[in-house]
Amino acid sequence: MTEVKHSHPRGLYVLFMAEMWERFSYYGMRALLVLYCAKQLFAHMDNPDSEAVAVYGSYTALVYLTPLIGGLIADRILGFRKAVILGGILMSIGHFVMAFEQEQVFYLALAFIIVGNGFFKPNISSIVGRLYDEGDARRDAGFTIFYMGINLGAFLAPLICGYVGEQIGWHYGFGLAGIGMVLGLLQFIYGRKHLKERAEPPDADALKHQVLPGVNKEWAVYIGSFLAVFVFWQLVQLHTFVTYMLGTIAALSVLLVAGYGISKCERIESHRLFVALVLIIFSVPFWAFFEQAGSSMNLFTDEFVNRVMFNFEIPASVFQSVNSLFILLYAIPFSMLWIWLAERDKEPSTPFKFGLGIAQVGLGFVCLWYGATTAKDGGQVAMVWLILGYMFHTTGELCVSPVGLSMVTKLSPQRITGLMMGMWFLFTAFANNLAGIIAKFTTGGEAAEAGSGVMAYGSVFGTVAGLAFGFGFFVLVIAPLLKKGMHGIN
């Protein structure tokens, strides 16, 4: 029987609070983004919903693309602590710039958040992995607790920022999200002593080397980061180009990691790296389906779900809190379940958890599809079907996301952990872009092919459910083979 420690490092709770406030800022803005674009920014266009989901898809894709670069820079140059602080500063600027109402300023704000997230998101997750020694059975539980911090912020944000944004003014909601980001950054700076030197630069002396007259390597990174903002200012407006760019980068990254595993790793290390690569690839369908929440499901809720309760119509953006509420309810039970099973050597393997997660997101879309069919004659969808859909998405998420983050830190060679964490987010970026493409089938000409009104959504949701079941079943079938390649790491 495996001996398992139950207490966690104090640094975990520092990271919990910092990530909670950062996620408050991100999800506060996310809850409002597609609705703001559809109802105000693009309201003058012929099909504002279609343009809104395109911007949402490009933005969320780029948000998850930049961690590939930010993780690599932290691994090789800056260290995790400095990278997180840089990312927090850039994101704070972006959220406050978003409070100003002008289209190009809006895109500039998104660019600041995109670049800042690249430094913040992968590296704070990597620090969580560094708090645990190899083989520590608490790691999955630790990531689940960390994931609760993410979702506490994500739960509060739509309730506060969403309500203020829809009922008082869009930019007041965006401004509140900026305050959350500043609080997250201050929390991290204040509690950095509890990280026990596990987030420092790989070579502190190298940061002082001059790369340009009067500019050392550390400041070159900072200056380059601000210059990158102007590149992403343009990219977030180029939806088709982003699609092709992400596909190319994803393919090249697979070849890069595969080549590294073959040429630079020992046999067992190589097998583990390839299992991580396979699971990262299979995270794509999960996130492409799951991330309908902020786009097609958000618009579906606004247009077709009966949101009246006790004679009060709940703003559509507030329903973005439902997923996070279920996370808060289920995260500790899931964490305890994994530890209880680990103590008895019966914990499911990471690949098996992935298969279960993908299948459960399919169940969620079955609920949404059925709700749409009950309202096809002009009625509204009962709120219960939306809530049930979010519930199954949540149980699937708990089998994939915290477990996936933990999997990357366990199976990747330590010298490229940041890069692999960045790759996890790169493929999440590819999935988010794919999510935007899927969402467009509920709008415009694509919707006309599926039907009209609510069934434009229902048809798409039914197709997504079938695909999710197919992917989930396939991963479950190959799970024993992948487990063997992990060589004792569960």
Side-chain angles (χ1 to χ4, degrees):
M1 184 176 294
T2 305
E3 182 181 353
V4 181
K5 296 178 182 179
H6 291 269
S7 61
H8 290 275
R10 292 188 66 183
L12 176 65
Y13 302 103
V14 171
L15 301 175
F16 174 101
M17 292 299 296
E19 182 72 350
M20 181 194 76
W21 283 115
E22 186 273 330
R23 290 292 90 181
F24 177 91
S25 72
Y26 176 79
Y27 281 96
M29 188 274 292
R30 176 183 182 266
L32 294 169
L33 182 59
V34 75
L35 296 174
Y36 167 71
C37 289
K39 292 184 174 184
Q40 183 159 324
L41 194 65
F42 304 131
H44 61 283
M45 296 184 175
D46 293 335
N47 192 347
D49 285 5
S50 182
E51 186 65 22
V53 297
V55 169
Y56 180 87
S58 293
Y59 163 71
T60 54
L62 293 171
V63 156
Y64 285 101
L65 170 64
T66 50
L68 178 66
I69 304 169
L72 181 61
I73 291 173
D75 262 346
R76 302 296 186 189
I77 303 172
L78 210 53
F80 297 137
R81 178 178 60 83
K82 290 177 182 290
V84 167
I85 292 172
L86 172 60
I89 291 171
L90 290 167
M91 293 175 76
S92 297
I93 294 170
H95 282 293
F96 285 118
V97 170
M98 190 171 284
F100 296 94
E101 188 171 347
Q102 202 280 333
E103 185 173 340
Q104 284 301 314
V105 173
F106 169 76
Y107 288 126
L108 178 62
L110 293 183
F112 269 106
I113 297 171
I114 288 165
V115 177
N117 185 78
F119 285 103
F120 193 100
K121 188 64 178 170
N123 296 312
I124 198 167
S125 299
S126 293
I127 297 171
V128 175
R130 289 283 181 91
L131 295 177
Y132 299 92
D133 295 326
E134 185 174 349
D136 193 329
R138 299 174 299 165
R139 189 187 297 241
D140 276 6
F143 269 101
T144 301
I145 293 170
F146 176 71
Y147 213 63
M148 280 190 67
I150 293 174
N151 285 280
L152 180 58
F155 169 69
L156 294 173
L159 295 178
I160 300 171
C161 301
Y163 180 84
V164 169
E166 286 200 71
Q167 301 299 314
I168 299 176
W170 297 107
H171 298 283
Y172 289 105
F174 292 139
L176 283 175
I179 293 172
M181 185 63 247
V182 171
L183 289 173
L185 178 60
L186 293 175
Q187 174 66 40
F188 181 82
I189 293 172
Y190 176 77
R192 65 188 184 278
K193 61 181 179 291
H194 296 299
L195 304 180
K196 298 180 178 180
E197 307 298 322
R198 299 196 179 196
E200 297 308 303
D203 186 349
D205 291 334
L207 291 178
K208 301 174 184 177
H209 292 168
Q210 299 290 307
V211 294
L212 292 171
V215 179
N216 62 27
K217 184 179 289 188
E218 181 174 354
W219 275 97
V221 172
Y222 299 152
I223 294 169
S225 301
F226 277 88
L227 293 176
V229 168
F230 294 94
V231 175
F232 284 93
W233 184 10
Q234 301 305 311
L235 284 178
V236 76
Q237 303 176 59
L238 303 174
H239 314 311
T240 302
F241 178 77
V242 168
T243 299
Y244 289 114
M245 180 184 71
L246 284 172
T248 302
I249 295 173
L252 290 175
S253 70
V254 170
L255 294 176
L256 173 66
V257 172
Y260 184 90
I262 294 170
S263 63
K264 302 291 186 180
C265 297
E266 298 177 355
R267 176 177 169 274
I268 291 177
E269 192 177 50
S270 176
H271 288 177
R272 289 172 175 170
L273 183 60
F274 277 105
V275 171
L277 184 60
V278 169
L279 291 178
I280 287 172
I281 292 171
F282 274 106
S283 72
V284 169
F286 176 85
W287 291 119
F289 303 151
F290 180 88
E291 285 296 333
Q292 296 304 306
S295 55
S296 65
M297 287 175 62
N298 208 0
L299 293 171
F300 174 73
T301 302
D302 183 58
E303 296 174 25
F304 297 112
V305 173
N306 184 354
R307 296 178 277 113
V308 177
M309 180 178 288
F310 306 119
N311 295 320
F312 172 74
E313 186 174 58
I314 304 169
S317 60
V318 168
F319 284 88
Q320 295 291 294
S321 287
V322 175
N323 167 249
S324 300
L325 175 61
F326 281 124
I327 288 283
L328 295 172
L329 293 174
Y330 294 156
I332 289 179
F334 267 71
S335 175
M336 293 173 63
L337 174 64
W338 300 145
I339 289 180
W340 185 82
L341 291 171
E343 290 177 326
R344 289 155 180 80
D345 294 322
K346 294 182 178 179
E347 184 181 6
S349 68
T350 295
F352 195 86
K353 292 175 185 176
F354 263 63
L356 288 177
I358 298 171
Q360 285 172 88
V361 84
L363 283 175
F365 279 104
V366 167
C367 295
L368 296 171
W369 165 80
Y370 184 77
T373 63
T374 63
K376 63 183 178 181
D377 294 326
Q380 287 191 302
V381 177
M383 197 185 303
V384 64
W385 297 114
L386 178 68
I387 293 173
L388 282 174
Y390 275 120
M391 185 191 74
F392 283 116
H393 288 188
T394 301
T395 55
E397 183 183 7
L398 283 168
C399 289
V400 172
S401 190
V403 173
L405 293 171
S406 180
M407 175 272 297
V408 171
T409 65
K410 287 190 293 188
L411 296 180
S412 303
Q414 188 170 1
R415 56 194 179 274
I416 60 165
T417 300
L419 175 63
M420 290 301 292
M421 190 66 73
M423 190 171 178
W424 168 266
F425 291 114
L426 165 64
F427 275 76
T428 306
F430 184 75
N432 273 268
N433 189 71
L434 183 58
I437 295 172
I438 293 170
K440 289 194 74 173
F441 281 95
T442 65
T443 65
E446 294 91 343
E449 296 178 9
S452 61
V454 68
M455 281 314 296
Y457 289 89
S459 297
V460 173
F461 293 158
T463 300
V464 168
L467 291 171
F469 286 136
F471 281 114
F473 177 75
F474 181 75
V475 174
L476 289 173
V477 169
I478 67 171
L481 178 63
L482 296 177
K483 181 181 178 180
K484 184 178 179 181
M486 294 167 72
H487 294 281
I489 291 180
N490 193 33

